[in-house]
Amino acid sequence: MKFPKQPAGGAGAKLRAGGLTAAISLLITSLNTAVAEPARPEQIVLISFDGAHDNRLWERSLKTAEQTGARFTYFLSCTFLISRDSRKSYKAPGHSAGRSNVGFAPDRADVVERLGHIWAAHQQGHEIGSHGCGHFDGKEWSKNDWIAEFEQFDSIASTAWTDNEMQPPAGWSDFVASDIKGFRAPYLSTGTALHPALAAHGLSYDASTVSNGPASPDFTQPVARFALPMVPEGPSGRPIIAMDYNLYVRHSGAEEDPSKSAEFETRALEAFRTAFEAEYSGERRPLQLGFHFVEMNGGAYWRALERFALETCGRPEVACITYQEAMRRLKPQQVDQDS
């Protein structure tokens, strides 16, 4: 079948011109949409543990990480690298030698097992931070007091293997000297001398402060500052620091009540979920959750953590990462925004 020829500028030309106009319009719309709707930042979740002593909980946390893909930060108390019979080797500022608010390791075998977990965690991409040594309240300490505590942490950690009659793995000394960059103060108690001491000792960040809801880290200071957030919790949604010990105090007055363990687990999990969803669908500021190597109220808060990590860390645009990794990702963004 033959079609009649179309004269120049006829219907065929109009059709082609119309198609071109539509294509250009679609391109402009797409560009405007891209400009108007920039890619959303990933939702960072920071899960940390203070103390990092109980070897059974080391194993449990590493298993959770394997199941969820999360990377944790462990703020280690260095007295757990000292056996009880060697406790006099540590002296906290203002205290006699051999004193510790959290005790010491029961024996050398316990220390060696813990050292193995620390090294395995490091090799698997988790972060080891400092929680000081004896878990003393340092709000009245001077800058020199804090530095003395930091120096003891470094010394005890660097010689922990040989002090307990074991050969350290290759790379241990470099790990202690170069990879431990963060700190969380016992009791979240800081005082005016802490941050100057952290800077003088070469530490990169402090995770001891508290914020009214999730907050972006502050990179404007010589030592970056991360804050545990106040989050809504319970039937009334009353804010609480997003940390297991604070939940333990609210739920049972810091007294064990295993009969209500399931109830406390549910309340904790709902608090974590609510705080996460508010950020995930909102500003996407990092969500920080703090825990201890202690199973309070029959393990309620550890179970809530495990359920939360399992359902959250694999979601699209979510990164359950360490504090140091968060610094690497977030600091350039803040610099770009400020410039």
Side-chain angles (χ1 to χ4, degrees):
M1 180 181 294
K2 293 184 178 179
F3 293 94
K5 291 183 179 180
Q6 297 290 334
K14 290 180 180 178
L15 182 62
R16 288 191 296 273
L20 180 60
T21 300
I24 292 173
S25 177
L26 180 61
L27 176 61
I28 291 171
T29 300
S30 298
L31 290 172
N32 287 339
T33 301
V35 171
E37 299 178 8
R40 300 196 69 198
E42 62 188 348
Q43 177 62 58
I44 289 176
V45 178
L46 299 167
I47 298 171
S48 60
F49 300 94
D50 292 2
H53 56 293
D54 188 317
N55 282 310
R56 183 179 57 84
L57 294 180
W58 264 110
E59 294 171 2
R60 182 171 172 178
S61 68
L62 292 174
K63 183 178 179 181
T64 299
E66 183 180 353
Q67 292 171 336
T68 64
R71 292 296 175 264
F72 299 138
T73 301
Y74 299 90
F75 292 108
L76 173 69
S77 296
C78 84
T79 54
F80 298 122
L81 303 182
I82 304 172
S83 61
R84 190 174 291 119
D85 60 4
S86 300
R87 62 187 180 276
K88 295 284 188 178
S89 62
Y90 166 66
K91 184 182 183 304
H95 297 272
S96 58
R99 290 283 310 281
S100 166
N101 276 352
V102 289
F104 297 84
D107 51 43
R108 289 178 175 175
D110 182 79
V111 174
V112 170
E113 185 178 1
R114 181 169 302 105
L115 289 169
H117 292 315
I118 291 169
W119 187 242
H122 169 65
Q123 291 184 308
Q124 292 167 22
H126 302 284
E127 178 186 356
I128 308 301
S130 170
H131 199 41
C133 288
H135 210 274
F136 290 103
D137 186 340
K139 67 177 178 293
E140 301 297 334
W141 284 359
S142 68
K143 176 181 175 182
N144 286 340
D145 288 336
W146 278 112
I147 290 175
E149 181 81 346
F150 299 152
E151 288 177 345
Q152 287 191 89
F153 181 100
D154 293 347
S155 176
I156 290 165
S158 64
T159 61
W161 289 90
T162 53
D163 287 346
N164 290 279
E165 300 181 348
M166 294 293 290
Q167 186 67 25
W172 179 265
S173 294
D174 289 341
F175 155 67
V176 173
S178 303
D179 291 351
I180 300 176
K181 291 295 185 182
F183 177 75
R184 176 172 288 150
Y187 312 108
L188 304 180
S189 184
T190 56
T192 58
L194 173 62
H195 290 114
L198 290 168
H201 196 65
L203 291 165
S204 300
Y205 73 85
D206 171 51
S208 307
T209 54
V210 175
S211 58
N212 184 19
S216 297
D218 180 3
F219 294 120
T220 64
Q221 307 296 324
V223 176
R225 301 183 189 184
F226 288 83
L228 285 164
M230 301 285 287
V231 300
E233 190 277 333
S236 65
R238 189 157 51 100
I240 191 171
I241 298 173
M243 184 172 252
D244 56 358
Y245 181 75
N246 301 82
L247 292 164
Y248 178 52
V249 171
R250 173 174 290 183
H251 291 167
S252 61
E255 296 288 338
E256 283 294 323
D257 188 357
S259 69
K260 295 184 178 179
S261 185
E263 174 190 336
F264 298 149
E265 174 188 347
T266 298
R267 282 183 57 165
L269 179 59
E270 287 305 312
F272 302 157
R273 284 172 172 167
T274 298
F276 172 83
E277 292 297 343
E279 291 305 316
Y280 191 58
S281 61
E283 295 186 42
R284 293 206 171 177
R285 294 163 297 194
L287 175 64
Q288 301 174 60
L289 303 175
F291 298 86
H292 292 78
F293 264 33
V294 179
E295 293 175 290
M296 306 168 199
N297 276 331
Y301 312 114
W302 269 73
R303 294 196 306 274
L305 159 65
E306 290 163 340
R307 291 173 63 186
F308 174 80
L310 192 62
E311 68 186 31
T312 303
C313 293
R315 291 176 64 172
E317 301 178 2
V318 174
C320 296
I321 56 178
T322 67
Y323 278 85
Q324 286 196 49
E325 181 59 28
M327 285 188 65
R328 284 189 284 269
R329 298 189 190 190
L330 294 173
K331 191 172 183 179
Q333 295 178 20
Q334 189 173 100
V335 171
D336 289 342
Q337 291 170 1
D338 295 340
S339 60

